[in-house]
Amino acid sequence: MRIARFVIDGASDSTPLYGVVQGEPGSEQVAVIKGDPFFQGLTPTGQVHRLEDVRLVAPIIPRSKVVGIGRNYADHAKELGNELPTEPAMFLVANTAVVGPGDPVILPEWTEEVSYEGELCVVIGRICKDVPAEKADEVIFGYTVGNDFTARDKQRSDVQWARAKSFDTSSPLGPWIETELDPEDLSLVTRLNGKVVQDGTTADMVFGVRELISAVSQAFTLLPGDVIMTGTPAGVGLVTEGDRIEVEIEGIGTLSNPVVRR
């Protein structure tokens, strides 16, 4: 099931709504649901909109946090000259970094080296702590596509990665949340201006989704709507103003964002 968050352009009330995306590509519709599915379930309102008539926004603005995982693909760690971690390397991302599909990623004035990182993201469905890996599926709401834009120069110079990883607009998510997905071996492809620059599979993760949820929940209490970004395969590179980045993950869809400098 695909759960989208969207607004109706031109409507007097611009409050985002949630809905279930139904149908085949080219004829998809969004069936509106009541309230917030993280707390109120999936109750249909009877309202239906054509997907082309709405504007998708970030499928979730995390209530408390985004947890990033660094160096979780061996080939990516190697390309940056890093050793593989012996346990998940975690960092926090501010929820103000989150934007949605089609939203611009704004390059800050204080960096000259921003790179893309296409990633599978896990959305947590209920409050949890110290989750055993074998029970991780019980706390997953679903999966979405993410792009972990990183200011590489500041990542190298700063003691912490907060500025490099959390600047405004640096964490696009979308286009929706897929609730029925096996994350073990999914194709992940990133395109820069239409050219494939990352072509990997989640099967190559150092730590799988269930291991990550267990490890992260030992460090932090996870709340409904929290997001874990699971790392990126090799092929990361820099972006410049005017670029467009697309991240496509098998079974979910494509997240596309332009890059601007203001």
Side-chain angles (χ1 to χ4, degrees):
M1 183 179 296
R2 295 173 289 174
I3 309 296
R5 185 167 165 266
F6 65 95
V7 295
I8 303 171
D9 285 332
S12 57
D13 185 357
S14 60
T15 302
L17 302 171
Y18 283 94
V20 178
V21 180
Q22 302 170 333
E24 298 300 320
S27 60
E28 291 161 308
Q29 296 182 319
V30 184
V32 182
I33 58 179
K34 293 181 180 179
D36 186 330
F38 288 86
F39 297 97
Q40 296 172 269
L42 300 175
T43 303
T45 65
Q47 292 180 303
V48 178
H49 300 277
R50 295 189 305 171
L51 184 61
E52 62 191 60
D53 292 336
V54 305
R55 178 169 60 87
L56 298 178
V57 297
I60 183 66
I61 300 295
R63 269 66 172 181
S64 66
K65 56 190 168 295
V66 177
V67 181
I69 304 296
R71 304 168 187 172
N72 198 33
Y73 287 76
D75 50 0
H76 172 59
K78 182 178 179 180
E79 74 178 345
L80 295 183
N82 297 313
E83 297 293 328
L84 282 181
T86 56
E87 58 183 358
M90 305 176 200
F91 56 91
L92 291 176
V93 176
N95 62 6
T96 49
V98 174
V99 291
D103 290 337
V105 174
I106 302 172
L107 302 177
E109 295 180 355
W110 41 260
T111 177
E112 297 298 327
E113 297 181 35
V114 173
S115 66
Y116 53 82
E117 293 189 5
E119 308 201 8
L120 174 69
C121 297
V122 185
V123 183
I124 299 300
R126 64 177 177 84
I127 188 170
C128 58
K129 175 68 176 171
D130 297 330
V131 180
E134 61 271 19
K135 294 188 176 182
D137 288 351
E138 298 176 10
V139 306
I140 297 172
F141 183 85
Y143 301 87
T144 191
V145 183
N147 200 335
D148 177 25
F149 284 88
T150 305
R152 292 292 179 202
D153 46 359
K154 302 309 177 186
Q155 186 182 29
R156 292 192 299 268
S157 66
D158 292 356
V159 175
Q160 300 290 336
W161 292 359
R163 179 166 60 152
K165 292 281 192 178
S166 281
F167 63 85
D168 288 351
T169 76
S170 65
S171 295
L173 299 176
W176 39 60
I177 298 169
E178 173 56 64
T179 62
E180 300 172 12
L181 191 70
D182 181 351
E184 293 300 314
D185 186 10
L186 301 174
S187 168
L188 189 162
V189 175
T190 303
R191 298 178 180 87
L192 172 62
N193 301 324
K195 178 183 177 182
V196 174
V197 287
Q198 291 185 289
D199 189 355
T201 169
T202 59
D204 291 337
M205 287 183 183
V206 178
F207 303 100
V209 165
R210 295 170 182 86
E211 292 176 277
L212 291 177
I213 290 173
S214 180
V216 172
S217 70
Q218 291 173 43
F220 315 108
T221 297
L222 294 172
L223 303 182
D226 281 353
V227 173
I228 301 174
M229 304 186 81
T230 62
T232 195
V236 300
L238 301 181
V239 297
T240 60
E241 182 178 12
D243 285 343
R244 177 171 286 274
I245 307 296
E246 297 175 335
V247 183
E248 181 179 2
I249 297 182
E250 179 184 359
I252 304 177
T254 301
L255 171 67
S256 178
N257 297 92
V259 177
V260 303
R261 190 181 288 276
R262 295 174 181 167

